[in-house]
Short mmCIF file of all heavy atoms in Angstrom, two decimals:
data_model
loop_
_atom_site.label_atom_id
_atom_site.label_comp_id
_atom_site.label_asym_id
_atom_site.label_seq_id
_atom_site.Cartn_x
_atom_site.Cartn_y
_atom_site.Cartn_z
N LYS E 68 -26.36 -5.13 -20.09
CA LYS E 68 -27.59 -4.76 -20.63
C LYS E 68 -27.35 -4.08 -22.07
O LYS E 68 -28.07 -4.46 -22.97
CB LYS E 68 -28.24 -3.62 -19.73
CG LYS E 68 -29.64 -3.24 -20.34
CD LYS E 68 -30.35 -2.36 -19.24
CE LYS E 68 -31.69 -2.01 -19.76
NZ LYS E 68 -32.50 -1.09 -18.74
N SER E 69 -26.26 -3.44 -22.20
CA SER E 69 -25.98 -2.72 -23.53
C SER E 69 -25.62 -3.79 -24.55
O SER E 69 -26.01 -3.77 -25.69
CB SER E 69 -24.85 -1.82 -23.40
OG SER E 69 -23.70 -2.42 -22.99
N ALA E 70 -24.87 -4.88 -24.18
CA ALA E 70 -24.64 -5.94 -25.01
C ALA E 70 -25.77 -7.07 -25.31
O ALA E 70 -25.63 -7.99 -26.06
CB ALA E 70 -23.29 -6.63 -24.69
N LYS E 71 -26.72 -6.82 -24.32
CA LYS E 71 -27.81 -7.85 -24.35
C LYS E 71 -27.26 -9.28 -24.16
O LYS E 71 -27.62 -10.35 -24.63
CB LYS E 71 -28.63 -7.83 -25.58
CG LYS E 71 -29.34 -6.53 -25.85
CD LYS E 71 -30.21 -6.73 -27.08
CE LYS E 71 -30.74 -5.39 -27.48
NZ LYS E 71 -31.60 -5.35 -28.73
N GLN E 72 -26.27 -9.30 -23.07
CA GLN E 72 -25.62 -10.63 -22.84
C GLN E 72 -25.68 -10.84 -21.32
O GLN E 72 -25.57 -9.93 -20.54
CB GLN E 72 -24.28 -10.72 -23.31
CG GLN E 72 -24.20 -10.65 -24.88
CD GLN E 72 -22.75 -10.57 -25.27
OE1 GLN E 72 -21.86 -10.32 -24.50
NE2 GLN E 72 -22.53 -10.84 -26.64
N PHE E 73 -25.74 -12.13 -20.82
CA PHE E 73 -25.68 -12.48 -19.46
C PHE E 73 -24.97 -13.83 -19.28
O PHE E 73 -25.11 -14.55 -20.27
CB PHE E 73 -27.02 -12.30 -18.74
CG PHE E 73 -28.10 -13.29 -19.26
CD1 PHE E 73 -28.51 -14.27 -18.41
CD2 PHE E 73 -28.77 -12.99 -20.43
CE1 PHE E 73 -29.44 -15.14 -18.85
CE2 PHE E 73 -29.76 -13.79 -20.87
CZ PHE E 73 -30.05 -14.87 -20.21
N SER E 74 -24.34 -13.96 -18.24
CA SER E 74 -23.52 -15.38 -18.15
C SER E 74 -23.72 -15.72 -16.59
O SER E 74 -24.00 -14.96 -15.69
CB SER E 74 -22.21 -15.00 -18.41
OG SER E 74 -21.53 -14.00 -17.58
N LEU E 75 -23.50 -17.09 -16.49
CA LEU E 75 -23.44 -17.77 -15.19
C LEU E 75 -22.11 -18.26 -14.92
O LEU E 75 -21.36 -18.85 -15.82
CB LEU E 75 -24.46 -19.00 -15.18
CG LEU E 75 -24.54 -19.82 -14.00
CD1 LEU E 75 -25.12 -19.08 -12.66
CD2 LEU E 75 -25.20 -21.11 -14.17
N HIS E 76 -21.67 -17.93 -13.69
CA HIS E 76 -20.35 -18.34 -13.26
C HIS E 76 -20.50 -19.33 -12.09
O HIS E 76 -21.13 -18.89 -11.19
CB HIS E 76 -19.41 -17.16 -12.90
CG HIS E 76 -18.93 -16.31 -14.00
ND1 HIS E 76 -19.75 -15.63 -14.80
CD2 HIS E 76 -17.71 -15.89 -14.54
CE1 HIS E 76 -19.16 -14.94 -15.67
NE2 HIS E 76 -17.86 -15.19 -15.58
N ILE E 77 -19.93 -20.37 -12.21
CA ILE E 77 -19.85 -21.41 -11.08
C ILE E 77 -18.43 -21.52 -10.46
O ILE E 77 -17.57 -22.01 -11.13
CB ILE E 77 -20.51 -22.72 -11.34
CG1 ILE E 77 -21.71 -22.68 -12.15
CG2 ILE E 77 -20.62 -23.63 -10.27
CD1 ILE E 77 -22.37 -23.97 -12.65
N MET E 78 -18.26 -20.97 -9.32
CA MET E 78 -16.97 -20.96 -8.62
C MET E 78 -16.73 -22.31 -8.09
O MET E 78 -17.70 -22.91 -7.54
CB MET E 78 -16.81 -19.78 -7.63
CG MET E 78 -17.37 -18.50 -8.23
SD MET E 78 -16.41 -17.93 -9.62
CE MET E 78 -14.80 -17.47 -8.93
N ASP E 79 -15.44 -22.65 -7.99
CA ASP E 79 -15.11 -23.95 -7.20
C ASP E 79 -15.93 -25.03 -7.65
O ASP E 79 -16.67 -25.69 -6.89
CB ASP E 79 -15.24 -23.67 -5.74
CG ASP E 79 -14.63 -24.84 -4.95
OD1 ASP E 79 -13.79 -25.54 -5.42
OD2 ASP E 79 -15.12 -25.12 -3.75
N SER E 80 -16.08 -25.29 -8.89
CA SER E 80 -16.97 -26.28 -9.55
C SER E 80 -16.68 -27.76 -8.91
O SER E 80 -15.61 -28.03 -8.72
CB SER E 80 -16.74 -26.42 -10.97
OG SER E 80 -17.23 -25.16 -11.64
N GLN E 81 -17.82 -28.39 -8.65
CA GLN E 81 -17.86 -29.68 -7.96
C GLN E 81 -18.43 -30.77 -8.76
O GLN E 81 -19.33 -30.49 -9.64
CB GLN E 81 -18.42 -29.70 -6.58
CG GLN E 81 -17.82 -28.64 -5.66
CD GLN E 81 -16.38 -28.97 -5.19
OE1 GLN E 81 -16.09 -30.23 -4.98
NE2 GLN E 81 -15.39 -28.13 -5.22
N PRO E 82 -18.07 -32.06 -8.63
CA PRO E 82 -18.73 -33.12 -9.50
C PRO E 82 -20.23 -33.13 -9.32
O PRO E 82 -20.95 -33.43 -10.31
CB PRO E 82 -18.17 -34.35 -8.88
CG PRO E 82 -16.83 -33.93 -8.40
CD PRO E 82 -17.00 -32.65 -7.82
N GLY E 83 -20.88 -32.76 -8.22
CA GLY E 83 -22.30 -32.61 -8.06
C GLY E 83 -22.90 -31.50 -8.89
O GLY E 83 -24.10 -31.45 -8.99
N ASP E 84 -22.05 -30.60 -9.48
CA ASP E 84 -22.64 -29.63 -10.34
C ASP E 84 -22.83 -30.11 -11.66
O ASP E 84 -23.40 -29.28 -12.46
CB ASP E 84 -21.57 -28.39 -10.37
CG ASP E 84 -21.44 -27.75 -9.04
OD1 ASP E 84 -22.37 -27.72 -8.24
OD2 ASP E 84 -20.34 -27.16 -8.81
N SER E 85 -22.37 -31.31 -12.06
CA SER E 85 -22.58 -31.76 -13.27
C SER E 85 -24.04 -31.90 -13.61
O SER E 85 -24.68 -32.75 -12.91
CB SER E 85 -21.97 -33.20 -13.49
OG SER E 85 -20.42 -33.07 -13.34
N ALA E 86 -24.51 -31.26 -14.54
CA ALA E 86 -25.95 -31.20 -14.87
C ALA E 86 -26.00 -30.34 -16.22
O ALA E 86 -25.09 -29.88 -16.84
CB ALA E 86 -26.76 -30.52 -13.85
N THR E 87 -27.38 -30.13 -16.67
CA THR E 87 -27.57 -29.34 -17.85
C THR E 87 -28.13 -27.90 -17.26
O THR E 87 -29.02 -27.92 -16.37
CB THR E 87 -28.60 -29.90 -18.76
OG1 THR E 87 -28.09 -31.12 -19.27
CG2 THR E 87 -28.90 -28.97 -19.95
N TYR E 88 -27.60 -26.89 -17.80
CA TYR E 88 -27.91 -25.60 -17.27
C TYR E 88 -28.66 -24.76 -18.41
O TYR E 88 -28.19 -24.74 -19.51
CB TYR E 88 -26.76 -24.87 -16.75
CG TYR E 88 -26.05 -25.30 -15.59
CD1 TYR E 88 -25.35 -26.54 -15.62
CD2 TYR E 88 -26.46 -24.92 -14.27
CE1 TYR E 88 -24.79 -27.02 -14.44
CE2 TYR E 88 -25.93 -25.42 -13.13
CZ TYR E 88 -25.11 -26.51 -13.21
OH TYR E 88 -24.59 -27.14 -12.09
N PHE E 89 -29.79 -24.19 -17.98
CA PHE E 89 -30.60 -23.37 -18.95
C PHE E 89 -30.64 -21.93 -18.55
O PHE E 89 -30.95 -21.64 -17.30
CB PHE E 89 -31.96 -23.87 -19.01
CG PHE E 89 -32.16 -25.23 -19.73
CD1 PHE E 89 -32.21 -26.48 -18.94
CD2 PHE E 89 -32.14 -25.38 -21.14
CE1 PHE E 89 -32.26 -27.69 -19.53
CE2 PHE E 89 -32.30 -26.63 -21.64
CZ PHE E 89 -32.33 -27.85 -20.92
N CYS E 90 -30.26 -21.07 -19.40
CA CYS E 90 -30.62 -19.62 -19.13
C CYS E 90 -32.05 -19.39 -19.57
O CYS E 90 -32.61 -20.08 -20.41
CB CYS E 90 -29.59 -18.71 -19.70
SG CYS E 90 -29.63 -18.73 -21.61
N ALA E 91 -32.69 -18.31 -19.10
CA ALA E 91 -34.00 -18.14 -19.58
C ALA E 91 -34.21 -16.52 -19.51
O ALA E 91 -33.48 -15.86 -18.69
CB ALA E 91 -34.99 -18.84 -18.73
N ALA E 92 -35.18 -16.16 -20.14
CA ALA E 92 -35.64 -14.69 -20.06
C ALA E 92 -37.14 -14.61 -19.80
O ALA E 92 -37.91 -15.34 -20.47
CB ALA E 92 -35.24 -14.06 -21.49
N SER E 93 -37.44 -13.73 -18.94
CA SER E 93 -38.88 -13.58 -18.56
C SER E 93 -39.47 -12.37 -19.18
O SER E 93 -38.82 -11.24 -18.93
CB SER E 93 -38.99 -13.60 -17.08
OG SER E 93 -40.17 -13.14 -16.57
N HIS E 94 -40.61 -12.51 -19.83
CA HIS E 94 -41.31 -11.40 -20.18
C HIS E 94 -42.69 -11.16 -19.55
O HIS E 94 -43.33 -12.20 -19.35
CB HIS E 94 -41.66 -11.35 -21.78
CG HIS E 94 -42.59 -10.30 -22.20
ND1 HIS E 94 -43.93 -10.44 -22.57
CD2 HIS E 94 -42.25 -8.86 -22.47
CE1 HIS E 94 -44.39 -9.34 -22.99
NE2 HIS E 94 -43.37 -8.33 -22.86
N ILE E 95 -42.93 -10.08 -19.02
CA ILE E 95 -44.22 -9.82 -18.16
C ILE E 95 -44.95 -8.99 -18.92
O ILE E 95 -44.72 -7.79 -19.33
CB ILE E 95 -43.83 -9.27 -16.82
CG1 ILE E 95 -42.87 -10.20 -16.00
CG2 ILE E 95 -45.11 -9.07 -15.96
CD1 ILE E 95 -42.24 -9.49 -14.79
N SER E 96 -46.30 -9.43 -19.34
CA SER E 96 -47.05 -8.71 -20.06
C SER E 96 -47.70 -7.54 -19.27
O SER E 96 -47.63 -7.42 -18.02
CB SER E 96 -48.35 -9.55 -20.76
OG SER E 96 -49.22 -9.90 -19.64
#
Side-chain angles (χ1 to χ4, degrees):
Chain E
K68 188 173 182 178
S69 61
K71 298 183 186 177
Q72 295 175 347
F73 58 110
S74 60
L75 176 70
H76 290 63
I77 306 175
M78 313 299 288
D79 188 26
S80 299
Q81 299 296 314
D84 297 330
S85 297
T87 298
Y88 291 81
F89 292 96
C90 63
S93 161
H94 175 255
I95 301 166
S96 74

